[in-house]
Amino acid sequence: MRRARPGAPPRGTAERALTSVEAGADFDEVRDRSTDRKTETTTETRESRETREAREARGKEQPESKLWHITLSVSGVESPLKEVRRGLEQLAHDHPFLLTSRYANDHAEIRYWEEARDLHDAAAVALRLWGEHRQTAKLPPWEIVGLEVIDRETYHQRIAEGYGPPPAAPVGVHPY
């Protein structure tokens, strides 16, 4: 018994016949565009080309992300120092980009780097940080009383000129 694809002639008995399929209405347009682009193949489907072109267009429209240095200040009613420290340590665990935290029993300052498209996005994320982690990290019920958002270049310029926030070292959670 011979095993082969249905309708296939036995091997070596005849040449394979090629069949053609009618080209679509936009064949000439697609062919012309594909010869202009060296990276595009003539077998690329219209859908995949349109998807790739849409991705490229979105990439051009969206600005690249930048790094922003965030300093978030919070304060409120006095809380035990051990609870404040534990909460900030948990926040540092939950939010791995946290650089340093300084705290007292009625206020704290948190510094970290945030990646965002622009200052508005970085500030929006920073303003949500304390409230979103208040329950999970068991942070004190303090309010945000200050926010500074500066780009990476400005941060490094301030440090080089000897003014602005001191470098975020040592990294970690420390009392004032």
Side-chain angles (χ1 to χ4, degrees):
M1 175 175 205
R2 180 176 75 86
R3 298 186 78 170
R5 291 188 331 253
R11 290 185 189 194
T13 59
E15 289 187 34
R16 291 186 179 187
L18 298 176
T19 59
S20 63
V21 177
E22 186 176 333
D26 62 347
F27 175 75
D28 292 329
E29 181 184 323
V30 171
R31 184 187 60 206
D32 292 343
R33 275 190 275 167
S34 67
T35 56
D36 290 344
R37 296 181 184 164
K38 300 297 182 197
T39 59
E40 190 170 292
T41 65
T42 56
T43 59
E44 182 179 27
T45 66
R46 183 176 183 177
E47 282 183 15
S48 65
R49 184 182 67 253
E50 288 173 352
T51 302
R52 182 178 48 79
E53 289 172 353
R55 264 195 325 265
E56 290 172 357
R58 279 194 311 270
K60 291 176 185 174
E61 292 172 6
Q62 295 178 345
E64 292 186 21
S65 293
K66 292 175 56 176
L67 282 176
W68 301 89
H69 185 264
I70 309 291
T71 303
L72 185 68
S73 300
V74 294
S75 78
V77 298
E78 289 189 11
S79 295
L81 284 176
K82 285 184 179 184
E83 289 181 22
V84 174
R85 180 180 181 90
R86 189 209 38 76
L88 290 172
E89 287 173 344
Q90 182 63 45
L91 177 62
H93 178 74
D94 294 346
H95 196 276
F97 299 107
L98 197 70
L99 290 177
T100 187
S101 297
R102 298 186 304 167
Y103 66 94
N105 61 352
D106 63 345
H107 65 282
E109 179 182 87
I110 302 164
R111 294 188 189 174
Y112 67 99
W113 290 98
E114 184 68 62
E115 184 177 0
R117 285 182 307 151
D118 57 22
L119 180 130
H120 298 286
D121 289 347
V125 171
L127 289 170
R128 290 193 312 264
L129 178 73
W130 190 261
E132 288 180 355
H133 289 276
R134 186 176 294 159
Q135 295 290 332
T136 57
K138 296 186 175 126
L139 296 166
W142 296 343
E143 293 185 18
I144 297 172
V145 295
L147 173 66
E148 181 184 51
V149 181
I150 56 175
D151 66 353
R152 186 176 182 196
E153 294 79 23
T154 304
Y155 175 81
H156 288 295
Q157 180 182 3
R158 284 184 178 183
I159 299 304
E161 292 175 356
Y163 70 92
V171 174
V173 178
H174 306 283
Y176 271 104

